[in-house]
């Protein structure tokens, strides 16, 4: 992946902690006439590193925007849960701690779950990433 395409999601522990990272990377810009992005979820911990391919459509981006709203209210969020692709879940465990899981239901049946201690303002950061990816998709 080239760094200039960016990440729709980037959740990480602060420096000096466990170093867990969960991200959704955009792999390539959309071809003309395509309304989805080739992406991959990447999960990195001290002992596990995995990636899960996923296609993200414009409707999925709308759903992610709604999910971010729900996360502000400390609601449990399940995104991309149509069964056609990898499912992504986030829930607040305690103040300053979230549990994140990626489940590859359609393919490997693997689920990776990690606790994260995201920095203050992490939801706003995800919104800014969403805006960038929407610009990329709209061409």
């Amino acid at each position: 992946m080239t760094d200039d395409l960016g990440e729709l999601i980037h959740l990480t522990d602060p420096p000096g902690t466990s170093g867990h990272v969960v991200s959704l990377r955009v792999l390539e810009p959309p071809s003309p006439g395509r309304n989805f992005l080739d992406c991959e979820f990447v999960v990195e911990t001290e002992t596990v590193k995995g990636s899960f391919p996923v296609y993200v459509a414009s409707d999925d981006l709308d759903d992610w925007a709604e999910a971010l709203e729900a996360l502000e209210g400390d609601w449990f969020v399940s995104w991309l849960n149509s069964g056609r692709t990898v499912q992504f879940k986030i829930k607040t465990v305690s103040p300053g701690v979230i549990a994140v899981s990626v489940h590859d239901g359609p393919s490997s049946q693997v689920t990776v779950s990690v606790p994260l201690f995201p920095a203050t303002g992490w939801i706003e950061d995800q919104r800014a990433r969403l805006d960038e990816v929407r610009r990329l998709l709209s061409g």
Side-chain angles (χ1 to χ4, degrees):
M1 180 195 125
T2 56
D3 290 334
D4 59 331
L5 291 178
E7 297 171 319
L8 174 58
I9 297 170
H10 185 85
L11 300 168
T12 185
D13 283 332
T17 62
S18 67
H20 295 165
V21 177
V22 177
S23 61
L24 180 58
R25 298 177 180 163
V26 178
L27 298 176
E28 61 183 63
S31 302
R34 280 184 33 197
N35 64 347
F36 61 89
L37 295 166
D38 289 316
C39 300
E40 72 175 347
F41 274 106
V42 177
V43 179
E44 297 178 47
T45 73
E46 307 89 355
T47 57
V48 174
K49 182 173 182 178
S51 64
F52 305 89
V54 64
Y55 295 106
V56 175
S58 58
D59 288 347
D60 296 326
L61 297 179
D62 294 340
D63 292 344
W64 180 235
E66 290 176 17
L68 291 171
E69 290 292 323
L71 286 168
E72 275 192 324
D74 289 333
W75 290 90
F76 167 80
V77 166
S78 179
W79 181 58
L80 298 176
N81 56 358
S82 67
R84 69 173 167 80
T85 190
V86 173
Q87 184 179 33
F88 182 68
K89 296 179 182 180
I90 301 176
K91 72 176 182 176
T92 300
V93 177
S94 62
V97 182
I98 58 175
V100 177
S101 69
V102 178
H103 175 65
D104 183 21
S107 182
S108 68
Q109 296 295 310
V110 168
T111 301
V112 180
S113 299
V114 296
L116 290 166
F117 301 84
T120 302
W122 68 273
I123 293 175
E124 292 79 12
D125 179 54
Q126 303 317 300
R127 280 196 182 102
R129 292 172 183 280
L130 173 60
D131 289 344
E132 287 297 314
V133 170
R134 280 187 164 151
R135 280 191 277 282
L136 180 67
L137 189 57
S138 66

